[in-house]
Amino acid sequence: MVILYALILAGAVVRWEPRYHPKTGSIIWGGDGRLILQHLCHLNCLVFLTRTSTVGLTGLPQPNPKCVDQQHLPVTFGNALRFVMGRGFPPHACGDLIYSGHVGCTLICMAVLHRHGFLRNKIAATLVWTVAFIGIYFTISCRSHYSVDVMLAFYF
């Protein structure tokens, strides 16, 4: 995900201001860097809002063995807050599964890259899609999410 966000941010910086071809006077790159960042922020906002709603409304057993023992203990809000936030940075949460925010953000990056023409080159497109699918595979393989969480991220 970091690689994909870095590609988008680098592309937005390069395309921030329109550049003109000296002989023809035509615009090169279009100067749509602000629009790229706007699309990225809007789509991220939508993913975070829908993911927050689905996490609050659903619950699945934890696929990560570290969290299984924690699921059956009666806890107060303060205990839960200390469990998530009191163990250092980054926070380690158990149970916020549906849908996968990692996959949702990866797919947002791919949509922005595709929409703004970063994937016109076939080799670059193949490389970036490979990175995206490897990241999605690792999300499942490290037992952070079930496969249904990943599929629902594609849907949302």
Side-chain angles (χ1 to χ4, degrees):
M1 233 174 12
V2 171
I3 294 169
L4 297 175
Y5 277 110
L7 281 173
I8 292 171
L9 293 177
V13 168
V14 167
R15 292 166 61 166
W16 196 260
E17 293 291 331
R19 297 184 310 181
Y20 298 96
H21 191 274
K23 292 183 181 179
T24 62
S26 62
I27 295 176
I28 302 172
W29 290 108
D32 60 347
R34 290 178 185 92
L35 184 63
I36 293 169
L37 290 181
Q38 181 183 12
H39 284 168
L40 183 66
C41 290
H42 284 172
L43 290 173
N44 270 326
C45 181
L46 289 173
V47 162
F48 294 146
L49 287 173
T50 57
R51 186 169 187 281
T52 302
S53 301
T54 58
V55 166
L57 296 172
T58 60
L60 287 178
Q62 186 57 243
N64 191 341
K66 295 179 196 173
C67 295
V68 171
D69 295 337
Q70 302 293 329
Q71 281 185 299
H72 304 292
L73 298 175
V75 295
T76 64
F77 179 76
N79 290 341
L81 192 60
R82 275 191 295 281
F83 179 75
V84 173
M85 301 302 288
R87 298 189 304 164
F89 186 81
H92 305 282
C94 293
D96 59 343
L97 297 172
I98 293 183
Y99 59 91
S100 173
H102 292 95
V103 175
C105 289
T106 299
L107 294 174
I108 281 175
C109 288
M110 296 308 298
V112 169
L113 288 169
H114 178 74
R115 168 72 174 90
H116 292 283
F118 290 101
L119 303 179
R120 287 186 189 142
N121 183 335
K122 300 267 189 221
I123 295 170
T126 303
L127 181 66
V128 171
W129 274 108
T130 303
V131 167
F133 280 120
I134 287 172
I136 292 169
Y137 171 75
F138 284 161
T139 300
I140 296 172
S141 67
C142 73
R143 299 184 74 171
S144 296
H145 288 280
Y146 291 113
S147 57
V148 70
D149 306 329
V150 171
M151 294 312 296
L152 285 172
F154 275 92
Y155 174 74
F156 278 96

